[in-house]
Amino acid sequence: MKYELPKLPYAYDALEPFIDARTMEIHHTKHHQAYVNNLNAALEKHPEIADKPLEELLADIDGVPEDIRTAVRNHGGGHVNHSFFWTIMSPEAVAASKANPNAEPAGEVGKAITDTFGAFAEFKAAFEKAATGVFGSGWAWLVIGTDGKLAVASTANQDSPLSKKQKPVLCLDVWEHAYYLKHNADRKGYIGDWWNVVDWSKVEEKYKEAK
Ligand code: MN
């Protein structure tokens, strides 16, 4: 098997009380694992593209053979999106937000957010609007767009911003499987809790990589 489920860089209960352990475990071992398995099954049918980096396949999704294009889009997207998502959250962020719930990100990404959106609160409002506005399943993103500027975006299902030539900096999974056990139908409550687990030092790394 080419792709493997990445290990989480923290325990399933590490993001408590904001994201519950049971949700994290199912999300990682069932949902993410299924994307990996289905992606591998699709690529087995086309060994000639199996060695290409997944990011490249997603960036040129129309170049993927038609019979596996939807599978690569959905399951390849699912794999890269979740792999990204796990790394921008951390128990250190939970501890930091408990100590100072109103802290704003510093560093280059903090400055770029303020420069682009006017204030961190403005960015937060725009991001929350995108996240609550996803109809059905999808993701909210902070990306670097094709113009080189930060922007808030959303994608449906497991679509990746890479397919729109955007580079991800931050993302939030708003599929019901990401929050339903704890927050039930309250997606807004989930989003509000999620800010407390965002590790801005990791987002800073992603921002620098994307630039
Ligand atoms: Mn998910």
Side-chain angles (χ1 to χ4, degrees):
M1 298 299 261
K2 184 173 164 60
Y3 290 99
E4 287 180 5
L5 183 68
K7 281 210 170 74
L8 279 194
Y10 39 77
Y12 290 125
D13 64 358
L15 306 180
E16 293 264 14
F18 303 110
I19 301 181
D20 61 291
R22 186 82 181 120
T23 294
M24 287 300 295
E25 185 173 2
I26 296 171
H27 202 170
H28 182 245
T29 63
K30 305 293 182 194
H31 293 281
H32 191 170
Q33 182 71 64
Y35 297 123
V36 170
N37 295 348
N38 291 326
L39 171 64
N40 283 329
L43 289 175
E44 268 175 26
K45 294 176 196 162
H46 283 277
E48 77 278 10
I49 63 159
D51 286 336
K52 270 198 181 177
L54 187 51
E55 287 77 5
E56 272 181 36
L57 295 179
L58 291 169
D60 181 26
I61 193 71
D62 290 335
V64 172
E66 200 184 351
D67 61 318
I68 63 163
R69 192 176 301 153
T70 301
V72 170
R73 181 176 174 173
N74 290 341
H75 303 293
H79 178 45
V80 296
N81 292 347
H82 286 86
S83 299
F84 192 102
F85 184 51
W86 307 135
T87 61
I88 52 93
M89 305 186 286
S90 80
E92 290 77 19
V94 172
S97 67
K98 279 182 183 162
N100 185 2
N102 298 315
E104 295 185 5
E108 284 183 32
V109 74
K111 186 181 182 309
I113 286 173
T114 310
D115 289 349
T116 307
F117 299 94
F120 182 66
E122 296 292 324
F123 154 70
K124 220 171 149 178
F127 190 91
E128 288 185 357
K129 193 177 172 204
T132 50
V134 172
F135 182 74
S137 298
W139 293 73
W141 300 87
L142 176 65
V143 297
I144 297 182
T146 48
D147 59 358
K149 291 181 180 161
L150 280 180
V152 166
S154 63
T155 57
N157 305 310
Q158 294 296 352
D159 287 358
S160 164
L162 298 169
S163 302
K164 296 181 201 162
K165 313 282 182 249
Q166 299 167 334
K167 293 175 185 166
V169 175
L170 173 70
C171 66
L172 172 59
D173 188 343
V174 293
W175 283 57
E176 286 184 348
H177 69 224
Y179 63 89
Y180 221 82
L181 285 180
K182 178 179 168 69
H183 297 88
N184 308 127
D186 183 17
R187 187 189 285 183
K188 246 187 158 157
Y190 159 66
I191 297 165
D193 274 353
W194 174 76
W195 290 114
N196 295 287
V197 306
V198 175
D199 190 322
W200 288 98
S201 68
K202 299 283 166 38
V203 179
E204 174 83 359
E205 286 172 23
K206 300 289 187 190
Y207 176 70
K208 286 177 177 167
E209 277 169 36
K211 271 179 67 180

